Amino acid sequence: MRRVDRARGAGATGSQGARGVDYGQLSHPFAPQSVFSDDAIAAMHETALKVLENLGIRFLLPEARSILAAAGAVVDEDSQMVRIGRDIVAAALATAPRSFRLRAAHPRHEQVYAPGRLLFGGSGGCPNATDAVRGRRPGRLTDFEEALKLQQHFDVIHILSPSAEPQDVPVHLRHYAMMRSQMMIGTKPFFVYARGRRQVADSFEMIRLALGLDEAAWQDGVWGKTVINSNSPRLIDVPMAEGIIDFARAGQLTIITPFCLAGAMAPVTVAGALVLQHAEALACIALAQLVRPGAPVSYGGFSSNVDMKSGAPAFGTPEHLKMQIGSGQLARLIGLPWRSAAGSAGNAADVQAATENIMGLWGALMANATLTIHAAGWLEGGLTFGYEKFILDVEALQTIAELCARPEDTPAAMAYDAIAEVGPGGHFFGAQHTMERYDRAFYVPLVADLSNFGTWSEHGALTATERATAIWQRVLAEFRPHSGAGDVAERLAPFIERRTAEGGASPSDS
Amino acid sequence: MRRVDRARGAGATGSQGARGVDYGQLSHPFAPQSVFSDDAIAAMHETALKVLENLGIRFLLPEARSILAAAGAVVDEDSQMVRIGRDIVAAALATAPRSFRLRAAHPRHEQVYAPGRLLFGGSGGCPNATDAVRGRRPGRLTDFEEALKLQQHFDVIHILSPSAEPQDVPVHLRHYAMMRSQMMIGTKPFFVYARGRRQVADSFEMIRLALGLDEAAWQDGVWGKTVINSNSPRLIDVPMAEGIIDFARAGQLTIITPFCLAGAMAPVTVAGALVLQHAEALACIALAQLVRPGAPVSYGGFSSNVDMKSGAPAFGTPEHLKMQIGSGQLARLIGLPWRSAAGSAGNAADVQAATENIMGLWGALMANATLTIHAAGWLEGGLTFGYEKFILDVEALQTIAELCARPEDTPAAMAYDAIAEVGPGGHFFGAQHTMERYDRAFYVPLVADLSNFGTWSEHGALTATERATAIWQRVLAEFRPHSGAGDVAERLAPFIERRTAEGGASPSDS
């Protein structure tokens, strides 16, 4: 098995290793919190089971209906509705794994995916990209690759996400470019879009080729992951069901994420939106477990509210946070690791967008989400990936990562001798205790400027958003491909050439 | 007793009463968290006691030394050092009240000050003010008054704070103007600056006059509060000690707040800074309780770190949050309500300043701080009160306030019937369940703009900071004095006239 770049660190890290804080491997610092009573959570679970049993879910893919029917679900082929009994759900929850390892091209970037772990992902699924230099534009492959470099650079981003859609690459060839770029640039856990069976098969093959995985190594763990969004309410479309089935068969990860916007695709109440989310997630988890008991799945919730004036999705709102925390309670009830999301609805990398994202990040902390995606760079409710926004959000993520390391609690840290050494009204700048520790005592900000108003004004009175431009520019300018990139390119080239000659693969190709 | 405006609400509220959320009366939604083990916290308390016993605190005020000496503390009059035994501290902690009521001109604005309660205060102690229309300037009485109007307007601000120092009023007359403006504009709990005995006496008298309190009513509760900052390390200056003594004698509240900047006025470690903070706080609490057992005191911590390059104080950093949470643990150990602070070091109402303040707000939530001041409008580490910043921070505070109300958990909220009503792939906009609730289902943002990029661009592509200008302008334009304002002015006029004729009171007047 040829894993890239095993011997040395892959690119720059953005970590603060000297301080003993490993941004790359985090566990939750705070106990999970609740917004519902245990009784209410149990009632919501029960209501979701009733939705599945009595009302059912519409699966557009015949194979999905067949699999569920074979397990005893009641299927109406005319309406494509599948009513799923609680026994099927219970069996699925019994086989779904509580913990598994996300494999990565670089072992340092592998992650245990389990309750209590804290993983962050950047923006996913943005059709546009924007920055202060080049403006807002439809996503291009260069934007997609730059976003990957930013994600790879900062240790506090734990997985790779498709931040900007490369719209300049035709759809039937796009997955070749996206997978190739990921593996040329990144050594963190890869994503795969579930856009049809042939694209998924191609993508899996590219991972095996690029990493030199034989069948045993491929089966050894989770090398690819995808997000499954139900079409709420109660509809699973063809590519999503195909994705669940194909990923489960291959032992790869589906992150089951209903997108339940309260007041639009879901009931207007927090509890009602969560009941719908829970029912849809359980249905998809059941399908995955029927395909392959033990297949890695993640519970997921991306429920929030809509703005009742515009119908636009809102993020970082009180209702969003309550749904995050309630989702965490539901995930704990069924014992599964789970994915949440932050993000912002704001149209610019401004205080609104910062507030929305940071509130969502804290919601994810209170909810003990295993994975929080859209945690950096997500503007306009996901329509645009922002370069400055990404940098600004990383500052928040690094601050949170620092909280995962407890402060030193030795007698030396309590500093009685230093306090004795410095007289009343004196200062500790020159104290021995300070001199021994000052260079690693504090987090060094990425964007924050702590100079006074005069100095800050003399340097141009730049806002944090303005300062962020030079930071992403520097990261991109200094980015160096990992040592295995040339090797990856060489191994992928014949496959991409052949498949391109064969006409590539459209999302509808099976 | 003539309390102003008892019959009707005082001014606009900024609350979302229709949704059943009372921003004006909050309790913590989350369980207090820890960054230190219980053993470490006990060791830090013990180390602080050792600091007090063996190293001592320097009290510049002879009366403070006498009071402590009379209780058995070891005083060295040459060095002004006071070594305080643990028996004195234990006795103080036995008499310090765990809970008391902050009285206010309007009963609706009274607050219970006790562990578990959640109170926010705006910026305090800023010499400058800034806004997008008039720029940055030294604080004037008009700025001070406008800041009071903003604080009074929003229900999520629970106490009044001196946000901008009225530097255009001479120091010996300034407290008359500040107290008069507060009582003309505000009906929330008042602040009093501890700037010398005569100013404190004048301020107390003005509260009694304005509210028409006889001696019994005055003694009935806490009508005035002040912040006591020690001059860390281990120094209590004359006006601070006078403040502790005079407020305790009058049964008014001292909020004891060492300002321990790790690496500057305190040890560079989180644990060391907290040990110093704790020792200084305990010394001041002991003095207050010796003056009058049972006098209302608040434990307080405003420890953070300095930027080691510039020496500037930092806020919202990981170290700040760890010190907040550790302070909460120390406060819980001694059983007292306590005050924390948020705020920002940023020079503009930008993403840096937003990130810093929101991180500090969440630190206060994790720490279960009773009162969090500097929670809105605090720029430049407190050197400037920002109007736009205040509005932007209120959005964050209102979001947090909303989290204090749990979501509805009835069967109706769980929405089984609504889910049954809406078919797969449909939407809930027109569902009966939605129609019955949509107008009060979600928080309505103050600043956030949820329109799409096109609409937002057509409306000028304003950032949140730019939008905030119109909001504070509207609040100030629409602000109406409370119904008792004329009465207050009339009752205070003769006193102010007489005291002005007598020469006012300088901070050194006793």
Side-chain angles (χ1 to χ4, degrees):
Chain A
M1 183 177 120
R2 291 173 291 177
R3 301 275 290 284
V4 296
D5 218 7
R6 181 185 283 279
R8 63 172 190 82
T13 68
S15 183
Q16 303 214 346
R19 307 191 44 246
V21 184
D22 181 2
Y23 293 177
Q25 296 290 336
L26 302 178
S27 292
H28 272 281
F30 303 118
Q33 302 294 310
S34 301
V35 291
F36 288 106
S37 68
D38 289 348
D39 284 352
I41 288 292
M44 288 157 67
H45 181 69
E46 175 65 26
T47 308
L49 293 178
K50 271 176 53 190
V51 167
L52 292 176
E53 283 178 327
N54 301 342
L55 306 177
I57 302 287
R58 188 173 176 208
F59 279 91
L60 299 188
L61 183 73
E63 184 185 359
R65 297 197 296 275
S66 300
I67 292 168
L68 287 156
V74 179
V75 175
D76 180 322
E77 283 294 330
D78 287 344
S79 65
Q80 303 173 315
M81 293 299 290
V82 181
R83 286 183 284 142
I84 302 169
R86 61 184 62 213
D87 52 330
I88 297 173
V89 173
L93 294 179
T95 59
R98 269 56 182 151
S99 172
F100 44 86
R101 177 171 284 272
L102 294 187
R103 310 301 300 266
H106 194 293
R108 186 167 68 85
H109 291 140
E110 298 199 342
Q111 298 285 339
V112 173
Y113 197 95
R117 294 276 301 162
L118 175 59
L119 279 67
F120 293 117
S123 304
C126 306
N128 306 300
T130 192
D131 63 67
V133 179
R134 297 165 295 187
R136 184 176 182 273
R137 68 271 181 185
R140 303 162 304 193
L141 186 60
T142 51
D143 301 317
F144 175 79
E145 293 184 338
E146 286 179 350
L148 285 172
K149 290 175 185 175
L150 294 174
Q151 294 172 62
Q152 175 72 11
H153 175 78
F154 290 101
D155 273 3
V156 80
I157 302 293
H158 301 107
I159 60 166
L160 299 177
S161 300
S163 290
E165 181 80 12
Q167 298 192 54
D168 53 349
V169 182
V171 170
H172 67 293
L173 302 177
R174 194 175 293 167
H175 61 295
Y176 304 122
M178 292 174 85
M179 293 307 298
R180 180 179 183 278
S181 295
Q182 271 193 92
M183 296 189 281
M184 295 279 290
I185 291 168
T187 56
K188 297 179 180 179
F190 302 132
F191 72 86
V192 175
Y193 263 131
R195 290 178 176 167
R197 312 201 100 142
R198 191 57 240 181
Q199 286 202 8
V200 167
D202 282 346
S203 300
F204 286 172
E205 182 62 20
M206 288 176 77
I207 294 175
R208 286 190 294 258
L209 284 170
L211 300 188
L213 304 176
D214 60 20
E215 189 58 27
W218 170 252
Q219 294 286 344
D220 185 40
V222 176
W223 298 93
K225 57 184 166 47
T226 198
V227 169
I228 298 295
N229 289 131
S230 48
N231 289 23
S232 305
R234 294 194 288 134
L235 178 65
I236 314 296
D237 68 19
V238 169
M240 291 293 101
E242 289 176 339
I244 294 169
I245 293 169
D246 294 350
F247 273 71
R249 279 198 183 121
Q252 305 302 305
L253 172 61
T254 47
I255 300 171
I256 309 289
T257 314
F259 185 33
C260 291
L261 284 175
M265 301 94 92
V268 75
T269 50
V270 171
L274 289 182
V275 164
L276 182 62
Q277 165 191 304
H278 197 59
E280 292 177 358
L282 292 176
C284 294
I285 291 169
L287 176 58
Q289 296 303 310
L290 288 171
V291 169
R292 174 167 160 168
V297 289
S298 174
Y299 184 79
F302 194 13
S303 298
S304 187
N305 65 296
V306 292
D307 177 38
M308 292 309 282
K309 275 182 286 191
S310 64
F315 302 99
T317 59
E319 290 73 30
H320 180 203
L321 270 68
K322 289 177 185 180
M323 292 190 217
Q324 289 180 293
I325 299 170
S327 295
Q329 292 185 265
L330 288 165
R332 290 199 294 284
L333 182 76
I334 61 174
L336 295 189
W338 76 286
R339 165 227 131 126
S340 187
S344 60
N347 291 298
D350 67 356
V351 171
Q352 174 186 336
T355 302
E356 290 171 330
N357 194 53
I358 298 172
M359 286 291 173
L361 293 177
W362 277 95
L365 287 176
M366 296 301 91
N368 268 23
T370 312
L371 169 64
T372 302
I373 72 166
H374 309 325
W378 219 60
L379 289 170
E380 299 176 37
L383 293 180
T384 294
F385 171 73
Y387 285 60
E388 284 80 16
K389 175 70 174 146
F390 182 90
I391 297 295
L392 294 163
D393 290 336
V394 164
E395 181 98 284
L397 293 176
Q398 292 189 164
T399 300
I400 288 170
E402 290 276 341
L403 298 178
C404 299
R406 291 201 154 206
E408 192 186 342
D409 64 356
T410 60
M414 293 181 198
Y416 179 86
D417 292 342
I419 293 170
E421 176 187 338
V422 177
H427 65 76
F428 289 75
F429 283 118
Q432 185 64 23
H433 187 264
T434 306
M435 299 306 287
E436 288 166 7
R437 292 169 175 82
Y438 78 94
D439 59 343
R440 60 193 156 78
F442 308 135
Y443 169 69
V444 178
L446 176 67
V447 188
D449 179 347
L450 293 172
S451 61
N452 65 31
F453 187 83
T455 305
W456 174 77
S457 299
E458 279 163 28
H459 289 115
L462 297 181
T463 65
T465 302
E466 291 166 332
R467 293 194 300 273
T469 303
I471 298 172
W472 67 255
Q473 287 179 317
R474 193 184 65 232
V475 171
L476 293 182
E478 295 176 359
F479 190 86
R480 296 289 168 268
H482 59 77
S483 63
D487 213 17
V488 166
E490 202 173 296
R491 274 177 272 150
L492 290 178
F495 177 82
I496 296 174
E497 197 176 336
R498 174 173 65 79
R499 291 291 300 134
T500 302
E502 290 169 0
S506 286
S508 57
D509 287 356
S510 59
Chain B
M1 185 178 116
R2 290 174 290 176
R3 302 273 290 284
V4 297
D5 216 9
R6 182 185 281 278
R8 64 173 188 83
T13 69
S15 184
Q16 303 215 347
R19 307 191 44 246
V21 184
D22 181 1
Y23 292 176
Q25 297 289 337
L26 302 177
S27 293
H28 272 281
F30 303 119
Q33 301 293 309
S34 300
V35 291
F36 289 105
S37 68
D38 289 348
D39 285 351
I41 288 292
M44 287 157 67
H45 181 68
E46 175 64 27
T47 308
L49 293 178
K50 271 176 54 189
V51 167
L52 292 176
E53 283 177 327
N54 301 341
L55 305 177
I57 302 285
R58 188 172 175 211
F59 280 90
L60 300 188
L61 182 73
E63 184 186 358
R65 297 196 298 275
S66 301
I67 292 167
L68 287 156
V74 179
V75 175
D76 180 322
E77 283 294 330
D78 287 343
S79 66
Q80 303 172 317
M81 293 299 290
V82 181
R83 286 183 285 143
I84 302 169
R86 61 184 61 213
D87 52 329
I88 297 172
V89 173
L93 295 179
T95 58
R98 269 58 183 151
S99 173
F100 44 86
R101 177 170 285 272
L102 293 187
R103 310 301 300 268
H106 194 292
R108 184 167 71 85
H109 291 140
E110 299 199 343
Q111 298 285 338
V112 173
Y113 196 95
R117 294 277 300 164
L118 175 59
L119 280 66
F120 294 117
S123 304
C126 306
N128 305 299
T130 192
D131 64 66
V133 178
R134 296 166 294 187
R136 184 175 182 272
R137 68 270 181 185
R140 303 163 303 196
L141 186 59
T142 50
D143 302 317
F144 174 80
E145 292 183 339
E146 287 179 350
L148 285 171
K149 291 175 183 174
L150 294 174
Q151 294 172 63
Q152 175 72 11
H153 175 78
F154 291 101
D155 273 0
V156 81
I157 302 292
H158 301 108
I159 61 166
L160 299 177
S161 300
S163 290
E165 181 78 12
Q167 297 190 55
D168 53 348
V169 183
V171 170
H172 68 291
L173 302 177
R174 194 176 292 167
H175 61 294
Y176 304 122
M178 292 173 86
M179 294 306 299
R180 180 179 184 276
S181 295
Q182 272 194 90
M183 296 189 281
M184 296 280 289
I185 291 168
T187 57
K188 298 180 181 180
F190 302 131
F191 73 87
V192 175
Y193 263 130
R195 291 179 175 166
R197 312 201 100 140
R198 190 59 240 178
Q199 286 202 8
V200 168
D202 280 346
S203 299
F204 286 172
E205 182 61 22
M206 288 176 75
I207 294 174
R208 286 190 293 258
L209 284 170
L211 301 188
L213 304 177
D214 60 20
E215 189 58 26
W218 170 253
Q219 294 286 343
D220 184 41
V222 176
W223 297 94
K225 59 185 164 47
T226 198
V227 170
I228 297 294
N229 291 131
S230 47
N231 288 24
S232 305
R234 294 194 288 134
L235 177 66
I236 314 296
D237 68 18
V238 168
M240 291 294 102
E242 288 175 338
I244 294 169
I245 293 169
D246 294 350
F247 274 71
R249 278 198 185 122
Q252 304 303 305
L253 172 61
T254 47
I255 301 172
I256 309 289
T257 315
F259 185 32
C260 290
L261 283 176
M265 300 94 92
V268 75
T269 50
V270 170
L274 289 181
V275 164
L276 182 63
Q277 165 192 302
H278 197 58
E280 293 176 358
L282 292 176
C284 293
I285 291 169
L287 176 59
Q289 296 303 310
L290 288 171
V291 169
R292 173 167 161 168
V297 289
S298 173
Y299 184 79
F302 195 12
S303 297
S304 187
N305 64 296
V306 291
D307 177 37
M308 291 309 281
K309 277 181 288 194
S310 64
F315 302 99
T317 60
E319 290 73 33
H320 180 202
L321 270 68
K322 290 176 186 181
M323 292 189 218
Q324 288 180 294
I325 299 170
S327 295
Q329 292 185 264
L330 288 165
R332 290 200 294 284
L333 182 76
I334 61 174
L336 295 190
W338 76 288
R339 165 228 132 127
S340 187
S344 61
N347 291 298
D350 67 356
V351 171
Q352 174 186 336
T355 302
E356 290 171 329
N357 195 53
I358 298 172
M359 287 290 173
L361 293 177
W362 277 95
L365 287 176
M366 296 301 90
N368 269 25
T370 313
L371 169 64
T372 302
I373 71 165
H374 308 325
W378 218 59
L379 289 170
E380 300 176 36
L383 293 180
T384 294
F385 170 75
Y387 285 60
E388 283 81 15
K389 176 71 174 145
F390 182 90
I391 297 296
L392 294 163
D393 290 335
V394 165
E395 181 97 285
L397 293 176
Q398 292 188 164
T399 300
I400 289 170
E402 290 275 341
L403 299 178
C404 299
R406 291 201 153 205
E408 190 187 342
D409 65 355
T410 60
M414 293 182 199
Y416 180 86
D417 292 341
I419 293 170
E421 175 186 339
V422 177
H427 66 75
F428 288 75
F429 283 119
Q432 185 65 22
H433 187 264
T434 306
M435 299 306 288
E436 287 167 5
R437 292 170 174 82
Y438 78 93
D439 59 342
R440 59 192 157 80
F442 308 135
Y443 169 69
V444 178
L446 176 66
V447 187
D449 179 348
L450 294 172
S451 60
N452 64 31
F453 187 83
T455 305
W456 174 76
S457 298
E458 279 163 28
H459 290 114
L462 297 182
T463 65
T465 302
E466 291 167 332
R467 293 194 299 273
T469 303
I471 299 172
W472 66 255
Q473 287 178 317
R474 193 184 65 231
V475 171
L476 293 182
E478 295 177 358
F479 190 87
R480 295 288 169 268
H482 59 77
S483 62
D487 213 18
V488 166
E490 201 172 298
R491 273 177 272 150
L492 290 178
F495 177 81
I496 296 174
E497 196 175 338
R498 174 172 65 79
R499 291 290 300 133
T500 302
E502 290 168 1
S506 287
S508 58
D509 288 356
S510 59

